[in-house]
């Protein structure tokens, strides 16, 4: 069956964020059972339970691999080196999505898929040569065309991916000299993974719901979508930074143009919020915002959560 494990559910910086003394972070750090910590957003997906595809490689990847028994190495034919990780698929080239690739530098072959813009950023930074291209082939993702996923040797993994553009922004470190609000098509993408007649969508960053995206998501089996902020000015009100969600390339959960409202009538069977910022009140089990999300038929992703669409 198609199976997914949430490796991390938080936005950049994780939850609690290392330099945040916000109320949610204080509660999480104190061990409050109603406020569970989360690492930075990533999914692991499989069609056979043996070979796994990572959707993004977060800075927390080593911790996530250790916490997920399905991704632990198993001795094979007397060799001690092994990993079930067969491929990584990127939704962009932010620090939060590519840094974990450096965790996978110990000579394990896997395939790396990304939009050409993301692969160009990796190619331009020589530190990523530590992930030996001779063992880790870099394969461009076409947009709006199904692509069978294969491992480094070209063996089909039982999963098909379709990448599609979503409204977003260029990576923060690439903003110099560019308008951050004018991302080229493909710099932020969503993914549809399918196997055995079932599918899931993974969209951890999305600036707005467009008619084309709404049409694509209609009647989907499962959707993981950007839940970074509850409201657009959340970080400003919390004293956590000067940027709105829109400036960061994230639509809000609430409001007439937010995730809850724009997905309400799309007939999606299972709806899950992921990429949750440390200021977001839906991270608190006992908050009114969490109650509102549940009342609307949504789930809030947490590390270790397993989903079978």
């Amino acid at each position: 069956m198609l199976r997914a494990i949430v490796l991390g559910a938080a936005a950049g910086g994780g939850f609690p964020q290392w330099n945040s003394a916000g109320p949610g972070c204080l509660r999480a750090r104190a061990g409050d059972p109603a406020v569970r910590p989360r690492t930075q957003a990533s999914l692991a997906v499989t069609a056979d339970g043996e070979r796994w595809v990572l959707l993004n490689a977060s800075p927390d990847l080593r911790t996530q691999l250790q916490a997920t028994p399905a991704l632990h190495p198993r001795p094979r034919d007397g060799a001690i080196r092994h990993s079930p990780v067969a491929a990584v698929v990127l939704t962009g080239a932010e620090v939060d999505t590519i840094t974990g690739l450096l965790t996978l530098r110990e000579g394990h072959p896997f395939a790396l898929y990304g939009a050409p813009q993301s692969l160009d950023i990796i190619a331009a930074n020589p530190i990523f040569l530590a992930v030996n291209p001779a063992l880790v082939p870099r394969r461009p993702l076409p947009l709006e065309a199904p692509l069978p996923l294969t491992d480094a040797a070209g063996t089909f993994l039982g999963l098909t991916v379709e990448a599609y553009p979503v409204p977003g922004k260029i990576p923060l470190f690439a903003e110099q000299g560019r308008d951050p609000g004018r991302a080229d098509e493909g710099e932020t993408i969503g993914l549809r993974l399918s196997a055995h007649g079932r599918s899931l969508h993974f969209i951890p960053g999305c600036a707005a719901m467009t008619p084309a995206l709404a049409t694509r998501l209609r009647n989907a089996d499962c959707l993981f979508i950007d839940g970074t902020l509850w409201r657009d000015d959340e970080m400003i009100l919390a004293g956590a930074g000067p940027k709105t969600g829109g400036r960061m390339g994230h639509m809000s959960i609430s409001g007439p143009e937010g995730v809850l409202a724009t997905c309400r009538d799309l007939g999606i069977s299972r709806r899950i919020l992921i990429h949750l910022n440390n200021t977001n009140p839906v991270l608190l089990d006992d908050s009114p915002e969490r109650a509102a999300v549940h009342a609307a038929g949504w789930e809030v992703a947490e590390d270790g959560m397993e989903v079978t669409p």
Side-chain angles (χ1 to χ4, degrees), residues 24-211:
C25 289
L26 291 177
R27 290 180 63 183
R29 206 172 280 120
D32 187 329
V35 188
R36 289 181 289 276
R38 289 163 168 83
T39 58
Q40 294 168 89
S42 177
L43 248 59
V45 183
T46 185
D48 60 14
E50 294 293 325
R51 302 166 300 168
W52 290 79
V53 175
L54 306 185
L55 307 186
N56 292 336
S58 91
D60 296 319
L61 183 55
R62 183 182 181 280
T63 297
Q64 294 167 345
L65 294 174
Q66 291 291 96
T68 309
L71 300 181
H72 289 178
R74 295 179 289 277
R76 295 288 176 92
D77 301 323
I80 65 170
R81 299 293 190 195
H82 167 262
S83 173
V85 175
V88 177
V89 184
L90 304 175
T91 64
E94 290 280 8
V95 169
D96 308 339
T97 63
I98 64 174
T99 305
L101 292 172
L102 298 176
T103 298
L104 305 177
R105 67 187 183 278
E106 277 84 17
H108 171 66
F110 63 94
L112 176 61
Y113 291 88
Q117 297 94 323
S118 297
L119 296 182
D120 287 347
I121 285 174
I122 290 170
N125 191 328
I127 195 171
F128 286 103
L129 291 174
V131 186
N132 185 354
L135 288 175
V136 181
R138 301 172 182 180
R139 299 172 178 163
L141 278 175
L143 292 180
E144 303 186 274
L147 179 72
L149 290 175
T150 62
D151 64 14
T155 302
F156 180 48
L157 298 173
L159 290 162
T160 298
V161 67
E162 183 174 354
Y164 48 86
V166 299
K169 64 178 289 297
I170 60 178
L172 178 63
F173 59 81
E175 286 186 3
Q176 293 81 358
R178 293 185 61 186
D179 179 352
R182 294 183 61 84
D184 293 336
E185 185 175 75
E187 290 195 272
T188 303
I189 60 175
L191 302 172
R192 180 181 184 269
L193 278 294
S194 59
H196 309 301
R198 306 296 289 175
S199 65
L200 67 84
H201 290 260
F202 180 61
I203 314 174
C206 184
M209 180 63 68
T210 64

